[in-house]
Amino acid sequence: DAGRSARLPPPSSPAVWALPRSMRAWAWIWALAAATVQVACPGELLPGVQNVCYASANATEVSLYQGKRRVAQGTVLGDRGGTLAGTLYVLAAPQSGSSQYRVVATGPEGSAEITVGAVEQRAACIVSTDKGLYKPGQSVQVRVLGLTNFRTPVAGNVTISMVNPEGFKVFQQEEAADAYGVAAFTLPLASE
């Protein structure tokens, strides 16, 4: 880009040649990097969570795109959030959506973009009982805690199935988990 190279000191500039020979290439690369917009983010964004990305000081906006559609605009972290080197931006990735996003930083000198993934949200259950050993005819008090891989509770319906050692389903029940992801039920045991 002719406009961009016109603002950079030429390699024959006295400021560059005044440096020791081993640092001349480094100074030229640094000058080139300082004149362009840069952006850096974690390799994967967490959905529904505030993700922090870095943009060079000359960036004026950071946005998150899903395909060609902008799904989030970054906000500056804290009181301007930055230094002479750059600024930290907060991006909120959508709760659900794509597995690939583009983070785009724009400024007067142009724009930069990177492609990042999104961590897939999954659920797992922790099952506990009121005691470890039961006699025939007793009732088992069961509690199920549903959590995502982000350790947030899973509210909604939970289907609980139990199988015996031979693999036969001996119990199945659907329970509603509360806002904390907890579902509790009682399982009566056979008297024999």
Side-chain angles (χ1 to χ4, degrees):
D1 178 42
R4 180 180 295 158
S5 61
R7 284 185 235 143
L8 295 175
S12 59
S13 165
V16 173
W17 289 107
L19 295 169
R21 187 175 190 78
S22 62
M23 293 182 65
R24 288 182 194 159
W26 177 85
W28 179 248
I29 291 168
W30 180 84
L32 179 62
T36 60
V37 175
Q38 298 171 358
V39 64
C41 281
E44 292 183 320
L45 300 179
L46 300 176
V49 180
Q50 302 293 330
N51 295 278
V52 177
C53 293
Y54 164 86
S56 53
N58 56 355
T60 56
E61 179 181 271
V62 174
S63 299
L64 183 67
Y65 287 86
Q66 182 178 359
K68 294 185 184 228
R69 185 174 64 93
R70 183 164 74 177
V71 293
Q73 182 170 351
T75 56
V76 175
L77 180 66
D79 181 26
R80 180 71 186 122
T83 63
L84 293 174
T87 304
L88 295 176
Y89 286 86
V90 176
L91 285 170
Q95 189 70 25
S96 61
S98 177
S99 61
Q100 290 279 47
Y101 293 98
R102 291 182 304 122
V103 178
V104 179
T106 56
E109 287 84 19
S111 66
E113 88 173 44
I114 57 172
T115 301
V116 294
V119 176
E120 184 180 330
Q121 187 168 337
R122 296 185 189 135
C125 290
I126 299 171
V127 180
S128 64
T129 59
D130 60 332
K131 51 187 184 174
L133 199 57
Y134 295 91
K135 295 180 183 174
Q138 290 183 324
S139 293
V140 181
Q141 303 295 322
V142 181
R143 207 178 244 179
V144 178
L145 172 63
L147 295 173
T148 67
N149 50 339
F150 307 128
R151 295 188 183 138
T152 56
V154 177
N157 290 339
V158 178
T159 302
I160 298 116
S161 300
M162 293 187 187
V163 294
N164 65 12
E166 290 82 35
F168 294 108
K169 191 181 296 183
V170 294
F171 176 82
Q172 182 169 338
Q173 184 172 331
E174 189 168 310
E175 290 290 329
D178 62 14
Y180 302 104
V182 176
F185 65 96
T186 301
L187 170 64
L189 295 176
S191 57
E192 48 180 66

